[in-house]
DNA sequence: TAGATTGTTAATCGATTAACAATC
DNA sequence: TAGATTGTTAATCGATTAACAATC
């Protein structure tokens, strides 16, 4: 066990760090130099004590009586998350969804560059999306290895999701973002994240039903 | 306080119900009739005791010694979530992302029908996506009111996100799904859900860094 | 220095899990 | 009936929050 690393970090902390980061980046753009946990709490809807506690998991970044230096904190959080350098993404699926993801500027701004796009449809192969030439899915192993890509994005039709996941994980990808509504299986060594709007909506719907109940009273 | 409803339901429960639902629907398609909490736990990666406890928040749906009748449970969960009837969605943004969302079959299967699409670009207005004619954003108030739409989806370029949110909430939408990386402000009466792949990726990245650390040892 | 705000401890809260009696 | 599995209680666990001494 290396000296600095220490104890296990709660998952909740890791989920809040990106939120802090995006607010901090906006504050920096707005010309702010320091920020207190109280102010950051307002902007993120997180309890200030929670923020201080979250940050001290990784060290002591603030100045008592002053607050946190924004630039320093941004760098620290980026380093903690591993977002202090560019990450290449392999995208499977060159349809509307794939095109939207490839062109999505928010990704690029945070250092996520889609550098390879694959599709199973021969008619798509050879076309360009944002200057990237679409390759055939058979090229996944070679390209992923050549570029050392660790993150894969699945944006294919649902019925092709599992095959895309298999091809990407076989090629050595470590993280998968699944944009389909299918539940895909991956080896235990791969981290899978599902971005299914249906789950999101169903869950939100519950609160809508309750709102409507209140209306009726 | 009405007799049946009773106590406050933990947010975690509401987040797990859609997961149970999607697995149950697949089991039903596969011809299964009943399911035990143990089996459902395997398929959803949720502790069986947790599942039983979650369900008893809403009543007692199982048979001791037998398990849960899948069809009954699906209906119950759908009713709890308010997913037992069709919901119309108003989509703002007719670009690649908007097109992908409008055509997304996973939504339709769960009763979410995109029935109105808006764009600010006059060249997009009048074109069709999946048989729905794109309207100008100025038509949002009239169409949302006419169709009684309660759910809005924001799929515009980041800089237009806040305006789209304002227009939709002004028109009476109760739930917003924000697909842009912008933090949009909404009235307290509106439920906002952000689907930002960057937050998702940043958070996943942390675990990737740790995996790579382990490799180095 | 006086005021402000962190870092940290201790108290609270809520969610998860284990265990088992009830019962199909 | 005997076996299985629920519904539910009690125990555990972890996360959140309040409070305050340390200190910039």
């Amino acid at each position: 066990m290396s000296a600095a690393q220490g104890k296990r970090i709660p998952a909740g902390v890791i989920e809040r760090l990106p939120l802090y980061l995006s607010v901090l980046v906006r504050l920096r753009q707005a010309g702010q130099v320091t920020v207190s946990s109280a102010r950051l709490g307002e902007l993120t809807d997180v309890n200030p004590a929670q923020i201080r506690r979250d940050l001290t998991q990784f060290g002591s970044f603030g100045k008592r009586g002053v607050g946190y230096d924004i630039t320093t904190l941004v760098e620290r959080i980026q380093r903690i998350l591993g977002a202090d350098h560019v990450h290449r993404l392999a995208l499977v699926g060159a349809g509307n969804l794939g095109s939207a993801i490839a062109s999505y500027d928010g990704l690029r701004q945070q250092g996520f560059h889609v550098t390879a796009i694959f599709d199973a449809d021969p008619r798509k192969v050879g076309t360009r999306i944002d200057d990237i030439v679409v390759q055939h899915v058979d090229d996944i192993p070679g390209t992923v290895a050549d570029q050392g890509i660790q993150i894969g994005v699945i944006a294919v039709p649902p019925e092709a999701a599992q095959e895309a996941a298999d091809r990407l994980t076989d090629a050595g990808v470590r993280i998968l973002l699944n944009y389909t509504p299918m539940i895909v299986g991956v080896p235990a060594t791969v981290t899978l994240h599902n971005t299914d709007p249906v789950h999101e909506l169903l869950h939100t719907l519950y609160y809508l039903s309750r709102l409507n109940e209140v209306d009726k009273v």
Side-chain angles (χ1 to χ4, degrees), chain A:
Chain A
M1 178 187 319
S2 70
Q5 284 297 87
K7 62 243 151 185
R8 187 143 185 54
I9 308 295
V13 177
I14 304 303
E15 275 164 39
R16 283 187 293 271
L17 289 181
L19 178 62
Y20 303 157
L21 185 58
S22 70
V23 169
L24 287 165
V25 166
R26 287 194 308 148
L27 286 172
R28 188 176 56 178
Q29 276 170 356
Q32 301 289 307
V33 175
T34 61
V35 67
S36 67
S37 60
R39 177 89 183 109
L40 197 52
E42 276 171 35
L43 294 170
T44 55
D45 249 321
V46 176
N47 183 294
Q50 177 101 268
I51 295 175
R52 295 201 298 278
R53 204 165 206 290
D54 285 354
L55 294 177
T56 53
Q57 299 271 5
F58 306 99
S60 145
F61 306 146
K63 270 203 173 48
R64 293 169 199 237
V66 179
Y68 298 89
D69 179 74
I70 292 175
T71 301
T72 308
L73 196 51
V74 164
E75 280 167 11
R76 292 303 193 110
I77 295 179
Q78 284 181 334
R79 190 156 325 153
I80 292 164
L81 291 171
D84 54 348
H85 57 100
V86 166
H87 290 270
R88 285 184 284 277
L89 270 58
L91 172 67
V92 186
N96 280 321
L97 181 58
S99 301
I101 294 168
S103 311
Y104 188 70
D105 207 48
L107 279 172
R108 189 158 272 269
Q109 280 169 8
Q110 286 287 348
F112 296 105
H113 295 200
V114 173
T115 56
I117 305 177
F118 305 93
D119 205 290
D121 182 348
R123 289 167 301 180
K124 293 259 177 65
V125 174
T127 63
R128 279 162 190 273
I129 296 176
D130 262 9
D131 278 357
I132 297 166
V133 178
V134 176
Q135 297 177 274
H136 191 268
V137 288
D138 288 341
D139 295 332
I140 289 177
T143 303
V144 164
D146 286 352
Q147 297 195 17
I149 295 177
Q150 297 186 301
I151 305 176
V153 183
I154 303 173
V156 297
E159 61 275 11
Q162 183 63 58
E163 196 195 332
D166 292 343
R167 284 179 184 258
L168 286 166
T169 54
D170 286 350
V173 156
R174 309 292 285 271
I175 290 178
L176 277 184
L177 261 190
N178 173 26
Y179 272 89
T180 79
M182 297 300 282
I183 299 178
V184 302
V186 296
T189 51
V190 173
T191 307
L192 171 71
H193 275 263
N194 294 296
T195 313
D196 184 356
V198 172
H199 279 205
E200 194 88 354
L201 275 177
L202 280 172
H203 146 213
T204 314
L205 214 49
Y206 173 78
Y207 297 102
L208 180 64
S209 320
R210 303 220 75 194
L211 285 176
N212 290 346
E213 285 301 315
V214 173
D215 289 348
K216 283 186 202 148
V217 180

